[in-house]
Amino acid sequence: MKLTIPEQELMEKGHMACLGCGGSLAMRYLLKALGKDTMMAIPACCWAVIPGVFPYSCLEIPLQYVAFEATGAAISGMEAALKAKGKKDGVTVVGWAGDGGTVDIGIQALSGAVERGHDVKYVCYDNEAYMNTGIQRSSATPKGAWTTTTPVGNTRFWKQTNKKNIVEIMAAHDIPYACTASVAYPEDLIKKAKKMKDIKGPCYMHIYAPCPTGWKYPPEKTIELSRLATESCIFPLYEVTYGKYKINKDIKDEKKKPIIDYLRSQGRFRKLDEETIRSLQKHVDDEWIKLKKKVECFGEE
Amino acid sequence: MPDDHEINYNSYKELPPSPIATGSSLVFKTGGWRTMRPIIDLEKCKKCGICWKYCPDVSIIIVEDLPKVDLDYCKGCGICANECPFDAIVMVEEESI
């Protein structure tokens, strides 16, 4: 059999993720790319429960659980300790957090860690809400989504503000490498993770990881939905290497899909009216044009 | 049942000084969660490896160059059946087997 991604598995069977979990796929691909010489810090997120209860774990790498806001600080400390011991060579220090632990609660520790220039890799798997505690809104939740704290009823309607663009925030820190990846494109994800491993200095990766439980769609659609998100330019795949933009999955204008297919396949967008969908489509189009302009102006030669 | 993965602490005195996980999650037979079972039609299979690639539970194993479902751990999410480009995998209700 011809396999397109490395065969080595560092994530065991028997983990506690829901059916069709995008986050567990993201971890599987990332560990395939980084190999066993990896140290990881995980704050409170879905992955704090997925490895299993004490004394069992599904990951074959050293792993430390840290407080919600402290991922950036923890990986900085791990890197500094490895350096002091003279064992940093060949070891990748990874912070792995959900979107809440990255864009809301963990953002100052992350900002500090990358600003100090530690040789750490930060990976955020984005399921667009606090899924572990029961689907509360985070600032990575897109506009128009239902969550338990942005309920849809007679007096209140879905989330009113747009998603925070964390990759741009990270690129604005002037770090060597920031990128987005999706579980529907594992080859691309693994390529980026390997590139990240080779770069000395802080790197940031944002992985799109659909959540069947929170987004209210059947579990078999995980890959289909993340592919649709990229094809309709809701979640474009791009990377920023030393300030140079590059789109990894270019979507031609005639092949670009309308976002309505994406919205209608999920229960969390079920109550959206036509007008809101039009405004969401306009926002997605504007963001895509903005990204293409950036590639035009600051692209790789 | 590979019970050799299991760890038993009979008293608090046996516990490690800090909570370090030493066991493997192979003790959790998550196959019990399953309501739909994937059945692979090996005649239709073109050995592309897509089902193996997209399995979130690492439950498609490759035996003698052919995919096989590890029923001890497969949760039955159906991603393999949905992604198979040759429709070689179908999901069947557990109770009907």
Side-chain angles (χ1 to χ4, degrees):
Chain A
M1 202 172 280
K2 203 171 144 268
L3 304 173
T4 49
I5 56 174
E7 204 175 346
Q8 182 193 28
E9 300 284 1
L10 289 169
M11 188 183 89
E12 293 256 31
K13 305 159 185 184
H15 59 71
M16 292 288 141
C18 305
L19 277 73
C21 176
S24 58
L25 266 175
M27 178 66 96
R28 184 180 169 214
Y29 298 146
L30 186 86
L31 291 184
K32 272 175 188 289
L34 297 182
K36 67 174 178 27
D37 290 337
T38 305
M39 285 173 89
M40 198 175 265
I42 297 185
C45 60
C46 281
W47 261 100
V49 290
I50 291 173
V53 291
F54 174 77
Y56 304 106
S57 168
C58 77
L59 298 176
E60 293 174 12
I61 53 162
L63 169 70
Q64 191 190 7
Y65 292 126
V66 298
F68 215 151
E69 69 285 357
T71 327
I75 49 177
S76 310
M78 278 154 92
E79 189 249 16
L82 281 173
K83 265 194 183 152
K85 288 260 183 190
K87 292 180 179 168
K88 179 70 189 67
D89 284 344
V91 179
T92 321
V93 181
V94 181
W96 172 271
D99 55 295
T102 305
V103 295
D104 293 343
I105 301 176
I107 193 165
Q108 70 76 24
L110 167 61
S111 178
V114 298
E115 191 273 332
R116 287 190 299 270
H118 289 285
D119 182 17
V120 292
K121 321 294 162 199
Y122 195 99
V123 184
C124 163
Y125 66 103
D126 183 5
N127 44 29
E128 303 195 324
Y130 290 89
M131 294 309 180
N132 188 30
T133 48
I135 325 166
Q136 287 85 12
R137 97 193 260 284
S138 77
S139 47
T141 308
K143 187 181 178 183
W146 164 93
T147 63
T148 50
T149 43
T150 52
V152 182
N154 293 327
T155 51
R156 285 196 281 177
F157 296 98
W158 52 78
K159 195 195 170 198
Q160 299 291 329
T161 50
N162 280 315
K163 184 175 171 136
K164 195 189 273 182
N165 194 340
I166 183 77
V167 184
E168 284 303 314
I169 298 176
M170 281 297 117
H173 280 74
D174 212 8
I175 57 174
Y177 190 64
C179 67
T180 64
S182 167
V183 291
Y185 301 94
E187 291 85 1
D188 176 70
L189 196 158
I190 285 169
K191 210 174 103 192
K192 283 170 176 165
K194 281 188 174 157
K195 187 170 176 181
M196 203 158 76
K197 190 183 174 186
D198 293 339
I199 290 175
K200 269 234 173 313
C203 300
Y204 178 83
M205 184 190 239
H206 196 80
I207 306 181
Y208 187 80
C211 169
T213 314
W215 299 9
K216 312 287 175 206
Y217 70 88
E220 70 267 20
K221 302 277 182 199
T222 298
I223 303 298
E224 206 180 304
L225 206 62
S226 30
R227 199 178 290 129
L228 202 58
T230 302
E231 284 172 352
S232 50
C233 299
I234 292 168
F235 193 86
L237 297 184
Y238 66 102
E239 57 185 356
V240 190
T241 321
Y242 296 104
K244 300 281 183 206
Y245 282 78
K246 187 185 176 191
I247 296 177
N248 303 100
K249 177 82 187 157
D250 195 17
I251 312 291
K252 299 269 183 303
D253 283 342
E254 63 272 15
K255 285 208 174 150
K256 190 164 165 280
K257 292 186 177 159
I259 65 164
I260 189 148
D261 303 345
Y262 172 81
L263 299 178
R264 285 287 176 249
S265 54
Q266 296 168 55
R268 61 174 178 159
F269 294 117
R270 195 161 57 92
K271 292 269 175 76
L272 282 185
D273 53 57
E274 292 293 321
E275 204 193 317
T276 318
I277 291 177
R278 266 197 298 278
S279 78
L280 291 178
Q281 178 74 58
K282 189 174 176 309
H283 178 71
V284 169
D285 291 347
D286 287 352
E287 287 292 312
W288 176 243
I289 291 167
K290 222 193 271 176
L291 179 62
K292 283 210 287 194
K293 286 271 176 223
K294 279 176 197 160
V295 175
E296 220 176 281
C297 299
F298 312 106
E300 284 168 344
E301 281 84 34
Chain B
M1 286 273 282
D3 277 354
D4 49 318
H5 292 294
E6 220 161 280
I7 296 170
N8 288 313
Y9 295 116
N10 297 317
S11 141
Y12 73 94
K13 286 174 188 156
E14 293 175 13
L15 284 169
S18 68
I20 298 168
T22 45
S24 151
S25 66
L26 289 172
V27 289
F28 305 123
K29 302 279 180 188
T30 49
W33 303 12
R34 191 173 59 240
T35 52
M36 303 290 276
R37 180 185 291 192
I39 308 281
I40 305 178
D41 183 351
L42 292 178
E43 279 180 14
K44 281 188 187 171
C45 180
K46 299 275 193 298
K47 302 179 191 175
C48 62
I50 285 180
C51 52
W52 169 83
K53 187 169 79 176
Y54 285 131
C55 181
D57 296 309
V58 210
S59 292
I60 303 250
I61 42 179
I62 298 164
V63 182
E64 290 168 359
D65 213 30
L66 283 168
K68 186 172 176 282
V69 181
D70 189 343
L71 291 172
D72 277 349
Y73 300 99
C74 169
K75 295 172 188 159
C77 65
I79 289 180
C80 50
N82 197 51
E83 291 306 314
C84 181
F86 311 105
D87 294 327
I89 306 177
V90 283
M91 300 302 288
V92 183
E93 243 179 80
E94 273 292 317
E95 285 182 359
S96 69
I97 297 167

